[in-house]
Amino acid sequence: MPIRVVAALFRRHDRWPLDHLLRLLEESGPWQADTEDVTGATAVRVSYQQLGARQRKMFRLLGHSPGPHITVAGAAALVDRASTQARIVLDDLHEVCLLEELAPERYQMLDPLKEFAASEPPQATPTEHTDAVLRLLDFYLVTLADAVGVAYPFERARLPAVRRACPVARTFDSADTAIGWIAAERDNLVAAIRYAAANDLPEHVWQLAVLIWRYFHTTSQFDDWIETMELARRIVSADPDNAYGQAHVLLRLATAHNRRGELAEALDLAEQALPRWSRLADARGEAATLCAIAIPTMELGRHGEAITHFEAALEKYEAVGDLRGQAHTLSNLGYLNELHGKLDVALRQHRAAVPILREIGHVQGLAHVLNNLGSVRQKLGFLSEALADHREAHHLAGEVGDDCVTAYALTNIGNVHRAAGRLTEAERYQERAKAVAADVFDADLRTQLYRDRGATAQAKGDQGGALRLYSAALDLATGTGNHTHRAHADRGVAQALHALGRHLEAISHWEAAEAEFAALEVPEADEVRAERSELTCGCGPSAAGEPR
């Protein structure tokens, strides 16, 4: 680094004799007494001293920028200048090797240089660097609000009102460019939230976190999602009057915990959010939170309560004309009706949701609903229609980069092939689903993949493989408390043990499956009872009381 800096300095001043450069280096002391790299610090100091005032200011302020890199527009906000002026100064710093160009219009400062820059005292005002970083945070907040509104138009009515301003903030004319900007700035946005949390800037913390949540949801980036939301929760909780921020944060944090299979935590957070939305008289927020309560309630096996919450949410969504919310709620009600064997009702609800989502351009939601619709059609025996639904879901999920929905679509395609007797194809698609889901820690998805692959192994006659896969599903479902998954996994384990001749081991799983299905009040309870009544082996119902 010091060699590059000195070489660039010498190249820039091509009329300097070498002795002059050496004297400058000798006269410039280290920038801090305990530095281990005196030569490097000296080289940077000499280079810094040769800069003009605008270049020095930019260099100093870049040392305080919270992210790992910065764009021309971000740098313009930092120094409070037009982008054309900032571009010239950045190019000057790049020419003398004090900046690296990562990509067109995006720059990075090496850590030693950033440390040096941050150590330089302010020149204009005592608050020079804090004022500059605040302008940069405004740039991120205003630009992110526009990006999210363009990338996810169905989300606009749910976004928090951003009242900050930034003259160099970017605007977007397409979803692709908006999502591209969010993806490119992800590390900077997370760093901005951390900085704001550490420096008591509550508005920036919670609004940035709430704005970026949909991107984290779509791309299944749970660690960043939960970290930023927890920072936001901590800071909004300190202000008892900020019910608006608290309601937004609790709702999005509940969704993150639900996807990770932390159902009790998700339910608790959503229940905390609901009275805040009610206090704000925000019917749309209330409806979204009722759905956030209903989903873990459903997964915890309390289907009647879940239906009540979904129906209340649907009524509120209809009252405010929220089409996206109506479609989401209808599809969830369709899923519950599918579980309870009301396939005609489920089919009607999913089919009602599809055109709504097409109309509003909610691609991710449409992919979800098509997967649900295909599942119902498969159970009704409409395999070609089901296959078309899942293939379209796979295509749409690929468009928005949602690996979770992509994996669901692939495993569902595998299920259709299995139902049609094409077991090799079923296995191939479900292996693809497994590969896509490898980096997606979505508890429901992982459990479903184990169940589906277990069913395919069972159909192939691989009972040992089926036992291993169903057992893995059972472990996950037991950990999360998802009653539906647990009941199906217990049934699969029982069937595999029976096929392997391990009848006494199967008894507890037969009993658990029947009891769980009965508690859920779903048709599989009768199926398990009938299936078991026909068994004459040690795992039949007459053997239930025998010693094991």
Side-chain angles (χ1 to χ4, degrees):
M1 186 271 291
I3 292 172
R4 288 174 56 200
V5 170
V6 172
L9 182 64
F10 200 37
R11 183 177 64 248
R12 187 179 179 94
H13 299 277
D14 58 2
R15 294 186 180 274
W16 281 4
L18 181 57
D19 287 347
H20 179 69
L21 175 59
L22 292 174
R23 188 175 72 252
L24 290 175
L25 291 169
E26 289 169 359
E27 290 174 354
S28 179
W31 59 275
Q32 61 181 41
D34 60 350
T35 182
E36 295 179 1
D37 184 11
V38 174
T39 304
T42 300
V44 175
R45 176 167 290 284
V46 170
S47 187
Y48 174 70
Q49 289 169 343
Q50 306 308 311
L51 296 174
R54 289 187 304 167
Q55 287 79 6
R56 285 192 189 191
K57 181 179 180 181
M58 176 74 83
F59 182 72
R60 286 195 307 274
L61 296 182
L62 287 172
H64 295 280
S65 63
H69 42 74
I70 197 164
T71 62
V72 169
L78 196 69
V79 297
D80 198 19
R81 290 289 183 270
S83 292
T84 51
Q85 295 173 309
R87 185 178 291 107
I88 293 169
V89 177
L90 289 168
D91 189 57
D92 288 341
L93 294 176
H94 176 255
E95 186 180 353
V96 293
C97 291
L98 295 178
L99 280 182
E100 292 185 334
E101 191 173 24
L102 291 178
E105 304 250 315
R106 186 175 298 278
Y107 293 86
Q108 169 185 268
M109 183 177 279
L110 294 175
D111 288 343
L113 294 170
K114 197 164 187 176
E115 186 180 351
F116 177 93
S119 73
E120 283 298 296
Q123 299 295 312
T125 66
T127 60
E128 177 186 69
H129 76 269
T130 55
D131 293 343
V133 176
L134 184 59
R135 290 192 298 268
L136 179 60
L137 295 184
D138 285 346
F139 165 76
Y140 286 136
L141 182 57
V142 176
T143 305
L144 181 60
D146 189 79
V148 171
V150 173
Y152 313 108
F154 52 86
E155 198 80 349
R156 285 179 190 147
R158 307 162 190 272
L159 300 180
V162 173
R163 296 185 174 86
R164 306 294 295 187
C166 177
V168 293
R170 284 197 57 182
T171 57
F172 302 90
D173 56 9
S174 74
D176 286 345
T177 56
I179 293 172
W181 182 87
I182 298 171
E185 296 289 346
R186 184 191 71 89
D187 291 344
N188 289 330
L189 293 167
V190 172
I193 293 168
R194 291 171 181 158
Y195 176 94
N199 290 274
D200 194 28
L201 296 168
E203 184 181 9
H204 292 87
V205 178
W206 78 261
Q207 290 195 349
L208 283 168
V210 167
L211 286 168
I212 201 173
W213 88 275
R214 171 64 66 178
Y215 173 76
F216 287 152
H217 176 44
T218 300
T219 55
S220 300
Q221 297 183 43
F222 297 106
D223 290 343
D224 285 335
W225 184 357
I226 289 181
E227 181 201 349
T228 54
M229 281 296 171
E230 285 292 357
L231 288 171
R233 177 164 70 152
R234 187 189 74 198
I235 206 158
V236 296
S237 297
D239 181 3
D241 296 326
N242 191 3
Y244 184 61
Q246 292 167 14
H248 274 286
V249 170
L250 289 167
L251 174 58
R252 273 64 183 197
L253 191 54
T255 305
H257 281 287
N258 184 80
R259 287 201 57 196
R260 283 176 37 137
E262 296 156 355
L263 304 181
E265 293 90 335
L267 184 56
D268 178 60
L269 289 162
E271 288 176 339
Q272 289 181 53
L274 186 59
R276 289 165 169 83
W277 289 114
S278 300
R279 195 185 320 157
L280 294 164
D282 189 317
R284 183 178 277 106
E286 285 183 284
T289 306
L290 284 166
C291 288
I293 290 171
I295 291 170
T297 300
M298 170 181 69
E299 292 171 339
L300 288 167
R302 305 200 298 271
H303 291 181
E305 290 179 46
I307 289 171
T308 299
H309 291 311
F310 279 131
E311 289 176 342
L314 182 59
E315 185 176 338
K316 290 181 181 294
Y317 278 135
E318 289 172 343
V320 297
D322 189 317
L323 294 176
R324 181 263 171 199
Q326 292 174 45
H328 172 69
T329 310
L330 280 169
S331 187
N332 275 293
L333 285 168
Y335 174 72
L336 275 164
N337 279 311
E338 177 190 352
L339 291 180
H340 286 266
K342 301 174 183 177
L343 299 182
D344 290 340
V345 177
L347 182 67
R348 186 167 64 250
Q349 288 169 325
H350 291 315
R351 291 181 68 178
V354 167
I356 295 174
L357 295 168
R358 290 195 195 280
E359 177 186 343
I360 64 175
H362 186 359
V363 178
Q364 183 192 27
L366 177 58
H368 270 294
V369 173
L370 286 168
N371 269 328
N372 289 339
L373 176 59
S375 176
V376 173
R377 282 177 160 157
Q378 181 188 332
K379 289 181 179 177
L380 287 168
F382 306 140
L383 298 188
S384 59
E385 292 90 339
L387 194 57
D389 290 333
H390 295 312
R391 283 176 171 162
E392 185 180 0
H394 177 258
H395 171 73
L396 294 172
E399 278 188 3
V400 296
D402 190 329
D403 286 345
C404 184
V405 182
T406 297
Y408 273 120
L410 288 168
T411 193
N412 284 327
I413 290 171
N415 289 339
V416 175
H417 283 301
R418 184 180 66 245
R422 300 186 291 267
L423 301 184
T424 301
E425 284 293 281
E427 189 172 43
R428 183 168 69 87
Y429 275 100
Q430 285 167 352
E431 285 300 315
R432 284 178 60 190
K434 175 187 172 186
V436 169
D439 296 323
V440 180
F441 191 79
D442 183 292
D444 185 82
L445 170 64
R446 292 193 171 193
T447 312
Q448 188 66 53
L449 291 181
Y450 278 126
R451 279 181 51 195
D452 291 346
R453 290 166 60 219
T456 299
Q458 207 167 44
K460 288 180 63 182
D462 178 9
Q463 300 300 336
L467 178 60
R468 176 179 57 81
L469 292 163
Y470 277 124
S471 296
L474 182 58
D475 288 342
L476 274 175
T478 301
T480 62
N482 188 307
H483 286 242
T484 297
H485 280 317
R486 193 168 67 194
H488 282 282
D490 261 318
R491 184 182 188 181
V493 169
Q495 290 170 332
L497 287 170
H498 164 71
L500 291 167
R502 294 159 60 178
H503 304 298
L504 295 182
E505 292 177 62
I507 292 175
S508 62
H509 294 286
W510 285 117
E511 292 173 342
E514 183 179 339
E516 288 157 354
F517 283 132
L520 292 169
E521 299 181 344
V522 295
E524 285 85 353
D526 290 335
E527 293 175 11
V528 171
R529 199 174 294 117
E531 184 179 0
R532 201 175 168 206
S533 69
E534 296 176 0
L535 301 178
T536 58
C537 57
C539 59
S542 61
E546 296 177 3
R548 303 175 189 174

